[in-house]
Amino acid sequence: MGLKLTFHGAAGCVTGFCARLDTGSASLLIDCGMFQGSKTLKALNYDPLPFEAADIDAVLLTHAHIDHSGLLPKLMKAGYEGPIYATAGTRDLCAVMLPDAGGIQESEVRHLNRRNQRRGRPPVEPIYTARDAVRTLELFERVKLSEPTPIVPGVSATYWEAGHILGSASIELRVETPEGPVTLLFSGDLGPGGRDYSPDPEGPQGVDHLIVESTYGDRRRAMIDPATRRRILAEELTAAHAAGGPLLIPAFAVERSQELLADILTIMADGQAPEADIFLDSPLAIEATEVFRHRGWNRATGVNPFEGLYARDRLKFLRAPGESDALERLSGWHIILAGSGMCDAGRVRKHLKRLLWRQQATVLLAGYQAVGTLGRFLQDGAQRVRIQGDDVRVQARIRSLDIYSGHADADALVGWVKARQPVRGGIFLAHGEPEALQGLQERLVAAGVDAASLNIPALDQAFELRGTAISRDANVAPRLPAQAVASLDWHNERAALLLELDTLLEGARSDAARTAILKRARAAMEEIEATHHPARRLRRSGSR
């Protein structure tokens, strides 16, 4: 029997990465991430795991981001008791990120259950709690970069610098089989290289199978030096100041918040932008900042650029909810960094709710925005959005910066793959939306990679690996069809329709025109109901 590789997440999308490798004598997980994006995709987080947790022998974690680590407590709750191998930096970040994720779920479920009670719906349970996350941390075992680590009999792992965030790694697995050793390299998320805040990605040369992320597989970014990066950010700060209101940055709590703070403080100290009070409104980002101050030393530059990040006159850490609420009383020029980076959870949503309709305010998106997230709608120019059940008109300045990405662009991904050659078997493209996956595939072929070696897995798709030979397992049913993984769902369409109807009603010339619009909408609904639910229509007609 050969090896079996199954993609349970980040297949056709960029979140929820989870790959399972069955060797015949052991079953291993590489990452166990949480899905983000549309409600249909996020619903997978609540569904049963697509495997028996107790059958997993070990977990190998590439890095701490929630889309790679976020379902580890769920795995533990479902019966997993084995080790979770990770670097020291990843373990320290998970120690703050996973309990925070559990706390957010508890809070959101409390709000949801209050709404469900009013609507007569049954209560729901959080995926896991903060206490579950703390218990999961007891399973972590530390590994060192570039040193082979025994995982289970016949399997060893070597972690390589990925250059994505603090502690991130690519993982090389060496599996002993009756036909000889087979090596697989999982890229994890790869950094772009050439940055002052993180080292360049590395990796071994010559593997049997390669699994590579494709987040930016269809786009190219200009390489910029730190001075140029700060100049571009300074221009955004100056423009936001000129607009007359506050600047809100929905920031990823880990790495992005710390990099932005370090640059903003440097910019203001150098007089490149107007000084302002800076509020870090994210308990998670505050705790992560302490990890960066402790472990943020960059091997390439020989310095820790995050040592100076501590609360002082201009930089203020807001831990308590009351401190966050107090920002509502501020006016004029100030800067708020709040999670989450895709605007889908956390404190940033209440700030968006009160600032988006103000023309003087600026919202600066400084990271990747997945399909179906509020951040993606804002980035795509939505004029109205729904936040916590309320319609909000977008009049604030919406700006995007692509200079802080922790992901390699298309050229860097192709360069990293070429540096791993020869790849004797298959190359699997994961962690990308369809356009990015297709774009990277085309670029790799143009760079001389054999097209027959390239594979784009679907969700829950399995592959049999016999040495360097690959065959697809046709007996696995996906939890979602491919078109539902990286596209808007009916929840998004409903929200868009309600916003469009409200806009149409507001723009009508008179109350009579509004009444006519509603009558036509109701007639259309009744026609649809007659087609799809004739019995329900008859009952409703008889009750009038």
Side-chain angles (χ1 to χ4, degrees), residues 460-472:
D460 296 318
Q461 189 166 28
F463 298 82
E464 297 283 349
L465 310 179
R466 296 184 179 274
T468 59
I470 301 170
S471 60
R472 295 172 183 255

Side-chain angles (χ1 to χ4, degrees), residues 173-210:
L173 286 177
R174 178 184 173 94
V175 184
E176 302 297 335
T177 74
E179 294 77 25
V182 176
T183 55
L184 302 92
L185 179 61
F186 295 82
S187 73
D189 287 358
L190 294 169
R195 299 200 304 166
D196 51 339
Y197 287 143
S198 58
D200 292 350
E202 301 171 350
Q205 183 176 8
V207 295
D208 291 315
H209 302 286
L210 183 65

Side-chain angles (χ1 to χ4, degrees), residues 15-32:
T15 64
F17 188 83
C18 179
R20 177 163 56 99
L21 180 66
D22 293 304
T23 69
S25 59
S27 186
L28 312 175
L29 284 188
I30 296 83
D31 291 345
C32 191

Side-chain angles (χ1 to χ4, degrees), residues 60-82:
L60 299 97
L61 184 58
T62 62
H63 66 290
H65 275 153
I66 291 298
D67 65 319
H68 290 257
S69 70
L71 290 187
L72 287 172
K74 175 176 179 150
L75 182 71
M76 182 275 300
K77 283 184 63 180
Y80 178 70
E81 298 178 344

Side-chain angles (χ1 to χ4, degrees), residues 145-146 159-165 167-170 190 198-203 299 416:
L145 292 177
S146 307
Y159 281 55
W160 299 90
E161 176 63 64
H164 175 57
I165 67 167
S168 63
S170 300
L190 294 169
S198 58
D200 292 350
E202 301 171 350
R299 290 184 301 163
W416 189 86

